[in-house]
Every structure is written in structure tokens, then in C-alpha cells.
Amino acid sequence: MDKLIPDPPADAIRVEDLTKDREAIKRAVDFYFTPQPAQAHHPGTMFLVNPSIDPETLLAHAYESLACASAMASNFANELSGLQRSTALAIQQIVMLAELAVNRALDRVDPQA
């Protein structure tokens, strides 16, 4: 029985395979090594701070929030004992350190000297 369609020459198959390989290699290199353009960051609007508020007001609010958190952690630690008390006091100390940092930044924004 005779074939209606002849077999393609071996060189044509090899060139076609090489072309496919090159395309696959190019896609892989582009995927792993070509940096993607940076996406613009769009902050969520659920808890959005007004961008027109001055830094001094923001720092004062942060200081008050940290002071409240420190007091809550201290009161909570008084109700605990052992390792849990130590953990609550460590959290309170970290909050106090953040409070000191915010206070220092607030002093630099509005020096009281």
C-alpha cells in the first residue's frame, strides 16, 4: 500500500524540534530570570490614616496607644503566674521600648527645650 503523504525529511524534523526547544528555553529563562515589573501598591481603605495628618499628631497618637497597651499588659500580667506572667511582662517591656522610641521621635519633631 502506497502512502499518500510522504515522510518529511529527517532534517526538517530536527529543525522543528530545535525550534520548539529554543522556544521552551526562552520561556523558562524569561520566567525565572526576567524581573517582573513592580506592581503599584494600593493600600486597603478599611483602616486608612488620613495622609494630611501631621507627623506630630501621628506620633502623639502612637505614644498614647502604646501607653495603653503597656498598661493593659501590666494589668494582665498581675492576673497570671509563672511562665505566662513572664511572657506578659516581656510583652509589656517590648511595648515600653516602642513607647520610648516614639517618645524620642516626638521630642525631635517638637523639642520641648
Side-chain angles (χ1 to χ4, degrees):
M1 182 163 147
D2 291 331
K3 286 185 173 181
L4 296 176
I5 302 173
D7 289 334
D11 289 340
I13 293 173
R14 187 172 300 135
V15 169
E16 186 178 307
D17 288 343
L18 288 174
T19 303
K20 287 180 183 176
D21 288 346
R22 285 188 186 125
E23 290 171 0
I25 290 168
K26 182 176 180 340
R27 282 194 311 271
V29 167
D30 287 345
F31 180 79
Y32 288 107
F33 297 113
T34 303
Q36 298 295 325
Q39 299 288 332
H41 177 69
H42 300 290
T45 58
M46 185 174 202
F47 302 106
L48 185 64
V49 176
N50 187 349
S52 65
I53 295 177
D54 60 297
E56 183 181 1
T57 303
L58 292 172
L59 285 170
H61 181 73
Y63 179 81
E64 291 173 1
S65 297
L66 288 168
C68 291
S70 178
M72 287 188 299
S74 179
N75 291 338
F76 184 62
N78 288 332
E79 303 294 323
L80 300 173
S81 62
L83 183 61
Q84 292 175 335
R85 177 181 169 85
S86 298
T87 302
L89 288 173
I91 292 169
Q92 190 233 0
Q93 185 176 12
I94 292 169
V95 171
M96 284 178 58
L97 291 172
E99 186 180 353
L100 288 172
V102 169
N103 196 21
R104 174 65 65 166
L106 190 56
D107 286 344
R108 290 186 180 178
V109 169
D110 184 30
Q112 297 178 4

